[in-house]
Amino acid sequence: MRSLYGEVSRGLAATIRLSRLRGHVRTPAARLRIRIAAGLAFCLLVGAANAGNWVSWVAGNLGPSSPGLRYLTGDTSVAVAAALGTVLAGVLFAPISGAAAQAQFPDFDLAGIRPSRLYRYFDGIWNSVLSPVGLSPLLLLVTAASLSTPDGRGRVGAVVIAMATWLCAMLVMALFAWTIEFSRRRWVAHLRWYLTAGAVAVVAVAVFVDPAHGRTIFGLASWVQATIRAGVAGSTLTVVGGVAAILLTSALTFLAGVVVCRRTLVMPAPIERVRQRTGSVSVPVHPSLALFTMLVTILARTREVRRPIIMMVAIAMPMLFVYIRYSGSNPSSMLGSVTMVVPLAMALGWGVNVFGVLGGAVTLLLAQPRAWKALLRHIIVVQLLASIGLGLLLMVIAVVTSSMPWSMLPPYAAGLVVSSVIATGLSVRFSVEKPHRTRLTGRGDPLVPPIVGLGYVMRIMLTSATTGIAVAVTASLLPWFAVVVGVFVAFTAFMSWRRVSSRWNDPAHRSRVAALVGAV
Amino acid sequence: MTGVDLQEVSIRYGDVVAVDRLTLHVSPGRVLGMLGGNGAGKSSTLRAIGGVNAHSSGILTVAGFDMGTPEGADAARELVGYCPDIGGLISQATPDEHIDLVASLRGTRGGRAVSDGLVERFGLSAVRDRPAGTFSHGMQRRLSVLLAVLTAREVLVLDEPFDGVDPTGVDVTVSAIREAARSGMAVVVSTHLQQLLTSASDDIAVLIKGQLATEASASEFSGPEGERRYADLLQSVPVEAVA
């Protein structure tokens, strides 16, 4: 126990030192951006904690019989259940995708420093907390806690419960991530796909078997909601007891996570089966088609690109459809979630650092005549086609498997197109202006550093997802508004294209991109 | 055919001057070997000749085309085969896919007799359906050199082509260099293996701190005497300058 304590404190100290080291090597501009992002995250957290007041004010202005007020004063625990459901989905899938146990530096870079072994455990938590994987659950839980206390009574207790729940979720995620890694090293190197299939099957069966069809997150949401309500009613002891229970669970989870991590790291890293042979694609003779074909091939053959997209599109979205269908929610929310999620998934999985994904191929392509011109166009076309194509496919599946009329489809399809155009434009701009060298080794390596990814998620969500939903919702009610938004988006997309292509046309800038991403 | 001509060419990365007013000429049918310490500017020069890097000032002409204009650079890229010192491959693509892609992009797709012969010669026949990312470092270098040789029409540029390559691969590369020169191409090769370079080259240029320190016949840098001469040149520069 004593040696474990020593290892834990040395590991924590190493993570703090490494994060400081990262800070030292940042440029002043990058430091400023991080401070702005931290300030923005804090503002969002404060906003989330006050969401109840704002919604209450809006509902109050709507009158006593408004649905908003009925929702706020009703018995439903939808907000807490939705937040907990989303957090649990993240806790389940982030470790499977490999995103929950990322180190701050590649192992090779630290060979000369040799930090204390458990730095990997704390690095994983630190990276998760600073990334959308960690921050979005915090915002969701705090928002739900605030919405559950609309008049302010019991708010502090509710927010403390939300934060304790978030801490527990992060530690459960770390435990799950290291349990997966332990199993990979001890038994099956290729475990993630089996786990994904197993987790989907377990969740699907649980939703069917549960009398509430998962609406109360198998009783967890009801318990959290009951504890919050006790706080609203003035029972401080119940809230303290609830928080203590969550913290005790967190402490036990932490201990288990540390032990599993320590046992994992004494074993050698697993050797994943790498496909040594692959069927050759037929490369067309036409230069433009040849380039397009190879870009699609690269997308399909790169695990770090392919897996998150498949996970989002082929697993998470159908699971959400099942949940929406059996929880009795509005079926149109299936179409809304596709409008928001698919363009974001394509952007984060491919577009935001496409030159990093191409790596050494950028040098090869820039040395070919005229390929640099076509490269940018084709990158955009691939992303747009994949985003709109996959999105439409999911929308059709949603309509076919639910009771929605087909007339619901066109407005949301328009929203999907708008969302895809904005997400593609933004992500290509990130790729051209801020490429990142990345080592894609098939172990869930991120395309961009976590803190950068957080900024990208926020910017893409705030622009593409919100505009896409706005167009989808208003297209059937106010078609002229949707047309105006469409024209505006087309204009801004054109201006963005001009700006990005003029940057890409600069040979000195292309040189810098090739030098940065090509040295892998 | 006019080979490669650099007149007062400079290459800068922000405040860092990688190549400083370099003047060089490689005639068709000649092989120029480039020597120099780490950070001397060899790779930057070769990247500019290969059409990947832009030069900041001066006049760079490759196969008669001005690399300072987009049209000239694209016309030159049609005639240059370039093997970079690092990267330069699609790790997810097989050798056959690489060959088809570069041939399509250059509009030279036709029979596979030439490429099949090169694949055989560079010892890649057994791995032509394997992604390049699964290759050893030496095999990747072989593929990179093969692509450069396959696409070169007037100028062949090889940056560290022998790095990690076994003796058989070295022999194949050296013979490919000689054949390219015999067919009238201008060839530029960079490596730290001095004796190998002098045996494969007609002329040697030594770069120090981005500047041309000396240019001489390859024979002047061969043998123990040549090694001493090169070592003296490198030692004449402060350590921090080549770090």
Side-chain angles (χ1 to χ4, degrees):
Chain A
M1 198 66 194
R2 201 177 168 78
S3 71
L4 181 64
Y5 173 77
E7 267 199 64
V8 166
S9 58
R10 282 196 298 275
L12 182 60
T15 289
I16 293 169
R17 267 204 305 277
L18 290 172
S19 65
R20 281 188 181 152
L21 183 64
R22 279 193 85 89
H24 287 318
V25 297
R26 284 195 185 104
T27 61
R31 276 183 214 161
L32 179 67
R33 276 199 297 275
I34 285 172
R35 282 184 189 135
I36 291 170
L40 190 65
F42 180 74
C43 291
L44 281 171
L45 192 60
V46 171
N50 287 293
N53 296 7
W54 297 342
V55 174
S56 188
W57 178 77
V58 171
N61 284 341
L62 290 172
S65 61
S66 71
L69 195 62
R70 276 209 305 278
Y71 159 69
L72 287 167
T73 54
D75 288 335
T76 176
S77 56
V78 167
V80 171
L84 276 174
T86 312
V87 171
L88 281 182
V91 165
L92 197 64
F93 285 109
I96 291 174
S97 72
Q102 289 294 319
Q104 295 187 75
F105 291 93
D107 289 347
F108 286 137
D109 291 2
L110 299 180
I113 301 175
R114 296 177 70 83
S116 181
R117 190 188 298 153
L118 280 181
Y119 86 94
R120 285 293 309 272
Y121 178 81
F122 293 105
D123 264 21
I125 291 182
W126 180 240
N127 278 336
S128 296
V129 166
L130 289 182
S131 73
V133 173
L135 199 69
S136 50
L138 178 64
L139 291 173
L140 275 173
L141 287 169
V142 171
T143 305
S146 182
L147 288 174
S148 299
T149 52
D151 58 2
R153 278 185 297 135
R155 172 74 53 81
V156 175
V159 170
V160 170
I161 289 171
M163 288 183 153
T165 308
W166 173 74
L167 174 71
C168 189
M170 292 296 102
L171 294 170
V172 169
M173 192 161 71
L175 171 62
F176 191 32
W178 285 107
T179 306
I180 290 174
E181 190 60 24
F182 178 84
S183 311
R184 289 180 68 225
R185 293 187 185 202
R186 184 84 175 79
W187 296 294
V188 189
H190 219 65
L191 189 72
R192 284 202 185 111
W193 278 115
Y194 305 127
L195 271 174
T196 308
V200 170
V202 167
V203 172
V205 169
V207 168
F208 276 110
V209 170
D210 182 19
H213 290 307
R215 265 172 290 191
T216 62
I217 317 297
F218 313 111
L220 193 62
S222 304
W223 179 78
V224 172
Q225 187 73 8
T227 312
I228 291 174
R229 289 233 172 89
V232 172
S235 174
T236 312
L237 203 62
T238 309
V239 175
V240 171
V243 172
I246 299 171
L247 290 180
L248 182 65
T249 311
S250 305
L252 291 174
T253 312
F254 170 73
L255 199 62
V258 164
V259 169
V260 173
C261 178
R262 193 165 70 150
R263 288 196 168 193
T264 304
L265 292 174
V266 296
M267 290 186 276
I271 299 167
E272 280 208 41
R273 194 175 67 234
V274 177
R275 283 179 72 182
Q276 292 288 324
R277 310 263 158 193
T278 179
S280 283
V281 298
S282 174
V283 182
V285 175
H286 191 277
S288 193
L289 288 176
L291 186 57
F292 182 82
T293 305
M294 282 318 297
L295 284 176
V296 174
T297 305
I298 291 168
L299 188 154
R301 286 183 187 165
T302 310
R303 270 193 270 192
E304 290 75 8
V305 174
R306 189 181 63 214
R307 276 186 182 170
I309 295 171
I310 290 177
M311 207 165 270
M312 185 65 76
V313 172
I315 296 169
M317 293 307 292
M319 273 182 68
L320 186 67
F321 289 176
V322 171
Y323 181 77
I324 288 171
R325 182 170 176 172
Y326 288 99
S327 65
S329 305
N330 187 345
S332 68
S333 52
M334 293 184 194
L335 302 179
S337 53
V338 172
T339 305
M340 289 196 295
V341 171
V342 174
L344 179 70
M346 272 311 299
L348 293 178
W350 165 256
V352 294
N353 189 20
V354 70
F355 296 119
V357 174
L358 294 176
V362 175
T363 310
L364 176 74
L365 293 172
L366 292 188
Q368 310 308 318
R370 290 171 297 281
W372 63 270
K373 279 184 191 163
L375 182 60
L376 196 63
R377 282 201 303 270
H378 284 61
I379 284 167
I380 292 170
V381 170
V382 168
Q383 188 176 344
L384 267 180
L385 283 181
S387 188
I388 295 172
L390 289 172
L392 282 177
L393 178 70
L394 282 170
M395 283 183 173
V396 169
I397 291 171
V399 173
V400 169
T401 56
S402 71
S403 54
M404 268 185 289
W406 282 97
S407 59
M408 295 281 284
L409 189 60
Y412 281 96
L416 174 70
V417 171
V418 166
S419 180
S420 300
V421 167
I422 298 174
T424 305
L426 262 181
S427 51
V428 169
R429 210 176 94 199
F430 296 148
S431 265
V432 170
E433 293 183 353
K434 192 84 182 134
H436 293 270
R437 182 183 303 157
T438 177
R439 293 176 190 171
L440 302 178
T441 57
R443 289 185 292 166
D445 307 81
L447 254 57
V448 290
I451 192 84
V452 178
L454 173 66
Y456 287 173
V457 169
M458 283 182 162
R459 287 172 73 176
I460 295 172
M461 280 296 281
L462 289 174
T463 52
S464 82
T466 49
T467 315
I469 284 292
V471 167
V473 172
T474 56
S476 52
L477 302 172
L478 301 167
W480 62 267
F481 179 73
V483 171
V484 169
V485 173
V487 169
F488 178 72
V489 167
F491 176 73
T492 49
F494 175 70
M495 295 305 287
S496 173
W497 161 250
R498 278 191 60 176
R499 180 178 155 178
V500 169
S501 60
S502 104
R503 191 97 167 106
W504 184 243
N505 287 347
D506 175 9
H509 184 71
R510 287 201 306 274
S511 308
R512 280 195 290 277
V513 173
L516 182 76
V517 302
V520 287
Chain B
M1 300 224 289
T2 55
V4 179
D5 194 54
L6 292 89
Q7 297 290 333
E8 298 273 308
V9 166
S10 295
I11 299 170
R12 296 184 198 92
Y13 302 108
D15 298 333
V16 179
V17 181
V19 178
D20 188 12
R21 288 168 290 140
L22 180 64
T23 297
L24 268 179
H25 181 77
V26 191
S27 301
R30 301 286 291 182
V31 181
L32 176 74
M34 286 184 110
L35 284 172
N38 300 129
K42 306 183 298 295
S43 291
S44 292
T45 307
L46 298 191
R47 287 168 79 84
I49 297 171
V52 175
N53 262 21
H55 59 288
S56 310
S57 61
I59 300 168
L60 171 58
T61 313
V62 176
F65 294 100
D66 181 5
M67 298 294 279
T69 65
E71 300 77 21
D74 268 331
R77 285 188 193 107
E78 300 246 20
L79 307 170
V80 179
Y82 168 60
C83 161
D85 60 332
I86 188 166
L89 295 175
I90 305 169
S91 53
Q92 303 88 341
T94 65
D96 279 350
E97 288 165 351
H98 277 92
I99 290 167
D100 288 346
L101 176 67
V102 294
S104 292
L105 290 174
R106 288 166 181 258
T108 56
R109 276 283 284 276
R112 299 200 63 145
V114 176
S115 60
D116 282 353
L118 278 174
V119 168
E120 181 75 38
R121 202 169 148 197
F122 276 88
L124 297 170
S125 300
V127 294
R128 55 195 307 167
D129 60 345
R130 269 177 55 181
T134 64
F135 288 8
S136 68
H137 177 66
M139 294 295 267
Q140 288 185 348
R141 295 310 297 159
R142 284 176 183 229
L143 177 57
S144 210
V145 173
L146 181 154
L147 291 172
V149 171
L150 185 69
T151 51
R153 285 159 65 190
E154 292 196 14
V155 176
L156 177 62
V157 182
L158 303 176
D159 195 355
E160 303 283 2
F162 310 115
D163 183 22
V165 178
D166 62 28
T168 318
V170 168
D171 285 346
V172 174
T173 306
V174 169
S175 66
I177 290 169
R178 288 190 180 131
E179 281 168 26
R182 269 201 299 275
S183 68
M185 289 188 209
V187 184
V188 192
V189 186
S190 158
T191 176
H192 291 288
L193 304 172
Q194 188 183 346
Q195 292 311 319
L196 193 57
L197 189 65
T198 50
S199 69
S201 308
D202 301 310
D203 307 296
I204 294 289
V206 180
L207 264 61
I208 292 178
K209 288 177 72 179
Q211 293 181 324
L212 182 65
T214 184
E215 189 178 4
S217 160
S219 59
E220 292 184 39
F221 280 91
S222 63
E225 195 59 38
E227 280 182 7
R228 210 164 20 250
R229 186 179 172 192
Y230 178 49
D232 288 345
L233 267 172
L234 286 183
Q235 279 163 10
S236 66
V237 182
V239 174
E240 64 270 23
V242 291

